[in-house]
Amino acid sequence: MTSSALPGPDAPTTPGMDAAATVRVEQAGLDALAHALEDPAGLGGAFEQAVAMLLGISGRVVITGIGKSGHVARKIQSTLASTGTPSLYVHPAEASHGDLGMILPGDAILAFSNSGETTELGDIAAHALRTGQPLLAVTSKASSTLASTATLALTLPAMPEACPMGLAPTTSTLMQLAFGDALAVALLRQRGFTATEFGIFHPGGRLGARLRTVGELMHTGVAMPLTQPDAPMRDVIMEMTHKALGCVGIVGQNGALAGLITDGDLRRALDQDLTTTLAKDIMNPRPLTINPDALAAEALQVMNARKRPVTALFVLDRAGIPIGVVHLHDLIRAGVG
């Protein structure tokens, strides 16, 4: 079917007109999908069932599809795997030549086919029937063979393709992709999947760096610049110079952090008699701190939160005792900044 938003293949257009019209047709498809997902008596209700079904399996989500739907299925499989839902992609043609063995007891099958008549999916559907494994079909044809065979049919709205001939999969694949993302996010939320867990699955690149924890980057042990409240300024300066982090933590008798002195605090104290000044006289008693499980990106945000950004944060345990120091340079070297 050809959309009225797109001129026919022989109508005079410009590339810009084609581009805008294509986006509008695909946008209409996404709008229709969103409305359908809000309908508890239709796709919305089926979506709720799908989420419950996939949360209840003991195995993985096996995703399949061929052609353009296959490319979409691969992307959705990748998104699921990286957001806490174990999954794998099985190519329908390869499944007929031995890869059905990849589908194990406890798995559920999620099959994508716009028409629902993709012959290559036949062997996977038959395998699901033989083994009693859940088969979820994502299609735009409720009366199709795949939908009627499935344990649960997830019928997407039948919308015009953006192709002026109504042939090339465009709107339909975009809707499949959006549906898959919606499913992944719903499962993510239901599992309580956290940013820290996300970081475990994404250790590489800038994203991985931002998802590293403060505990992975901090200086610990003897590398921490520490002194006592009654320490003379000479000792404070020596400790700050030796540890080279631009600050010194002041710890009380109980070992908890009582304050912080930065190189800026030292400069501001130069008008005092440093021979009689003690650490407690110039320390900041309420310094910014962070916990070791915080993400590196959060540490960077805390450093920049004040009008005068800070360059180092003491890392405290639950008792308020310093267990490390994270410096801005550590974040930059890790690729966070």
Side-chain angles (χ1 to χ4, degrees):
M1 181 168 63
T2 301
S3 167
S4 59
L6 275 176
D10 299 324
T13 64
T14 67
M17 292 169 60
D18 282 340
T22 297
V23 171
R24 290 192 184 98
V25 172
E26 294 191 338
Q27 183 178 31
L30 292 179
D31 287 340
L33 176 60
H35 288 306
L37 286 168
E38 292 172 339
D39 180 9
L43 181 59
F47 184 86
E48 295 281 348
Q49 294 179 55
V51 171
M53 190 177 297
L54 295 181
L55 286 172
I57 63 174
S58 59
R60 307 150 304 171
V61 181
V62 177
I63 306 180
T64 189
I66 201 164
K68 303 298 187 296
S69 293
H71 293 305
V72 170
R74 287 179 184 274
K75 187 274 176 187
I76 294 168
Q77 182 274 317
S78 177
T79 300
L80 286 171
S82 69
T83 53
T85 299
S87 59
L88 76 157
Y89 173 80
V90 173
H91 194 287
E94 297 296 337
S96 301
H97 296 277
D99 281 1
L100 281 175
M102 297 169 65
I103 306 174
L104 303 176
D107 291 345
I109 302 168
L110 180 63
F112 286 83
S113 171
N114 185 43
S115 68
E117 301 296 342
T118 306
T119 56
E120 291 87 350
L121 291 173
D123 287 338
I124 290 182
H127 179 76
L129 288 174
R130 284 195 305 270
T131 60
Q133 289 173 301
L135 172 62
L136 290 74
V138 181
T139 176
S140 63
K141 302 291 193 301
S143 60
S144 65
T145 302
L146 181 63
S148 60
T149 303
T151 310
L152 178 64
L154 299 151
T155 308
L156 307 186
M159 297 296 289
E161 301 288 6
C163 165
M165 297 172 290
L167 300 176
T170 45
T171 308
S172 59
T173 48
L174 181 62
M175 291 168 65
Q176 288 178 346
L177 186 62
F179 181 87
D181 285 343
L183 187 61
V185 171
L187 290 169
L188 176 156
R189 289 185 180 277
Q190 291 298 312
R191 295 181 191 280
F193 194 73
T194 66
T196 300
E197 293 172 299
F198 191 83
I200 293 172
F201 298 140
H202 298 76
R206 184 179 177 88
L207 176 60
R210 293 182 65 84
L211 294 174
R212 293 180 67 180
T213 65
V214 168
E216 296 177 70
L217 301 175
M218 67 186 184
H219 302 266
T220 61
V222 296
M224 288 190 294
L226 297 172
T227 192
Q228 303 297 316
D230 293 327
M233 293 310 301
R234 181 181 183 279
D235 292 352
V236 172
I237 294 171
M238 290 295 294
E239 181 74 356
M240 187 180 296
T241 302
H242 181 62
K243 302 300 173 61
L245 291 175
C247 64
V248 174
I250 313 303
V251 292
Q253 292 183 349
N254 61 356
L257 187 71
L260 180 73
I261 297 176
T262 66
D263 51 7
D265 295 323
L266 283 179
R267 288 193 298 272
R268 287 186 287 273
L270 288 177
D271 59 348
Q272 302 180 30
D273 183 357
L274 296 186
T275 62
T276 59
T277 301
L278 303 178
K280 63 184 179 182
D281 297 329
I282 68 167
M283 72 180 188
N284 173 9
R286 293 183 296 276
L288 293 174
T289 61
I290 200 163
N291 70 74
D293 296 326
L295 299 179
E298 182 182 346
L300 184 63
Q301 183 179 15
V302 171
M303 288 179 179
N304 291 319
R306 288 186 174 176
K307 186 176 180 180
R308 290 183 177 179
V310 301
T311 58
L313 296 172
F314 265 86
V315 185
L316 309 183
D317 65 13
R318 293 184 178 180
I321 296 173
I323 58 174
V325 182
V326 62
H327 195 277
L328 176 63
H329 292 166
D330 302 321
L331 303 179
I332 293 174
R333 279 193 294 268
V336 180

